[in-house]
Amino acid sequence: MVNELEFERPVLELREKIAELREFTNNSDVDLSDEIDKLETRLEVLEKEIYENMRPWDRVQLARHSKRPTTLDYIGHLFTDFLELHGDRLYGDDHAIVGGIGKYKGLPVTVIGHQRGRDTKENIRRNFGMPHPEGYRKALRLMKQAEKFHRPIICFIDTKGAYPGKSAEERGQSEAIARNLFEMAGLKVPIICIVTGEGGSGGALALGIGDRIYMLENSTYSVITPEGAASILWKDASLAKQAAEALKITAPDLKNLGIIDEIIPEVRGGAHRDVEKQAEAIDKVLKTALQELIRTEPEALIKDRYEKFKKMGKYKEQKEYENVQN
């Protein structure tokens, strides 16, 4: 089966069986309606059991699904008059990040997001959704433009991480990410961030400093992939399932930890099952968030954003003389 995920194999097999019986009924004089009804009832129960009790590794698989909606998919469903803008005005254009201006229910907004490909050719062009420094600098250019013209900023996050290659390091990958963090913290317009797939490390965080941070139900957000963590902790990438459990990278975990503001429910079986319906779920939180944020004064936005991130995690402050004594 194409794009078959291990945990949902029983569901896919049952769907195939139902499809076969329907085709047989349509092409013959035998009526199998009763059998089909029984299997559909069984399918409903099975889907509920599987999709409502997914483990972290199951969600990782769904977040990486090759058919998972991309930034451009959501732009097409949520915004009108979208005009994509290109280039960082320093080096070039990075196709792993898309951005531009559009309208959300008539309100001018700036939309920026990671962009993966649908097939091998497009993935190569998009660098598998892993941006170079010029991608982050393009994003920052559009954010500063949004601030100048008082447009809210909406970011869609979906990347394994920033590109770690030699060319990216030569052009200042770390500096580009750090600059985005610094600048986003002080922007005087509303910023809404939505993790739609994988939120990987600094590559995701460079678009993730916002007034509201949301995650799709089956997305992930982490400093490292489960495979990477397993390789470091246990010298064995095959232990990724255990690492996924330990890392607390799912939307429910991060909501409990206070990292995100809200979980956006997904279509049963994953966002790729019905992109239009998934966009409607995103639309609900976007509408509410924008109604709240556009009424907030710029100084209050910056102050609240600072307090939001300051409260994440645990730390202890020490006076300078205590540090000297120790």
Side-chain angles (χ1 to χ4, degrees), residues 23 42 50 54 67 72 84 98 103-104 118 128 143 148 164 168 175 186 189 216 229 258 269 275 297 306 309 316 323:
E23 184 177 1
R42 183 180 165 193
I50 289 177
M54 288 192 295
K67 291 187 177 180
L72 288 176
E84 185 176 354
V98 296
K103 290 184 179 178
Y104 177 74
R118 285 295 187 199
F128 295 85
M143 291 178 197
K148 178 179 179 180
E175 187 278 336
V189 292
L216 265 60
V275 183
E297 292 296 322
Y306 171 78
F309 283 88
K316 182 179 180 181
N323 291 330

Side-chain angles (χ1 to χ4, degrees), residues 39-312:
L39 288 178
E40 286 182 333
T41 301
R42 183 180 165 193
L43 177 62
E44 179 71 21
V45 173
L46 186 60
E47 283 184 334
K48 182 173 178 159
E49 180 182 341
I50 289 177
Y51 293 125
E52 292 184 7
N53 295 283
M54 288 192 295
R55 306 302 303 169
W57 182 247
D58 300 332
R59 296 188 190 276
V60 169
Q61 289 180 286
L62 273 182
R64 294 174 174 175
H65 200 287
S66 63
K67 291 187 177 180
R68 196 163 178 83
T70 66
T71 294
L72 288 176
D73 290 326
Y74 289 125
I75 286 174
H77 283 87
L78 293 167
F79 307 98
T80 58
D81 303 316
F82 179 73
L83 174 65
E84 185 176 354
L85 302 176
H86 300 272
D88 66 344
R89 301 299 187 266
L90 293 169
Y91 180 83
D93 190 36
D94 185 351
H95 299 293
I97 283 187
V98 296
I101 55 178
K103 290 184 179 178
Y104 177 74
K105 302 185 187 303
L107 175 70
V109 295
T110 290
V111 188
I112 304 166
H114 300 96
Q115 182 66 28
R116 303 189 189 214
R118 285 295 187 199
D119 51 36
T120 301
K121 183 178 180 180
E122 189 183 4
N123 263 318
I124 291 172
R125 177 171 171 260
R126 302 281 185 187
N127 202 36
F128 295 85
M130 296 185 293
H132 286 77
E134 51 269 25
Y136 295 116
R137 289 174 180 138
K138 173 171 69 173
L140 181 57
R141 179 176 76 83
L142 298 182
M143 291 178 197
K144 299 296 280 186
Q145 182 194 75
E147 182 181 47
K148 178 179 179 180
F149 293 101
H150 311 291
R151 291 193 297 262
I153 300 166
I154 300 165
C155 295
F156 292 98
I157 298 169
D158 182 17
T159 181
K160 291 180 181 295
Y163 182 61
K166 180 182 178 183
S167 59
E169 294 299 332
E170 288 175 341
R171 295 198 293 274
Q173 185 73 287
S174 300
E175 187 278 336
I177 292 172
R179 176 66 58 182
N180 276 30
L181 304 184
F182 176 81
E183 296 287 355
M184 288 183 79
L187 290 175
K188 297 179 181 179
V189 292
I191 307 173
I192 300 171
C193 306
I194 305 171
V195 183
T196 59
E198 287 184 279
S201 194
L205 196 58
L207 297 185
I209 307 298
D211 304 292
R212 298 287 186 275
I213 304 173
Y214 303 105
M215 284 180 70
L216 265 60
E217 185 180 356
N218 295 316
S219 58
T220 61
Y221 200 12
S222 174
V223 70
I224 193 172
T225 64
E227 293 90 343
S231 296
I232 293 172
L233 294 174
W234 305 303
K235 312 300 181 186
D236 187 353
S238 67
L239 297 177
K241 286 185 181 181
Q242 291 90 316
E245 298 274 352
L247 284 169
K248 305 298 181 187
I249 62 177
T250 67
D253 288 327
L254 293 167
K255 178 69 168 64
N256 290 335
L257 292 170
I259 304 298
I260 65 171
D261 296 291
E262 190 176 328
I263 299 171
I264 301 176
E266 277 197 39
V267 175
R268 181 176 286 180
H272 60 285
R273 299 287 182 195
D274 191 333
V275 183
E276 184 175 352
K277 189 174 180 180
Q278 190 59 60
E280 289 173 1
I282 295 174
D283 181 60
K284 290 179 182 178
V285 298
L286 264 184
K287 181 180 178 181
T288 301
L290 282 171
Q291 286 175 342
E292 295 173 357
L293 294 172
I294 60 177
R295 293 196 297 263
T296 307
E297 292 296 322
E299 293 75 16
L301 279 175
I302 295 172
K303 182 177 181 294
D304 292 345
R305 201 179 299 149
Y306 171 78
E307 293 296 333
K308 176 187 187 65
F309 283 88
K310 184 181 177 182
K311 287 188 284 189
M312 292 181 186

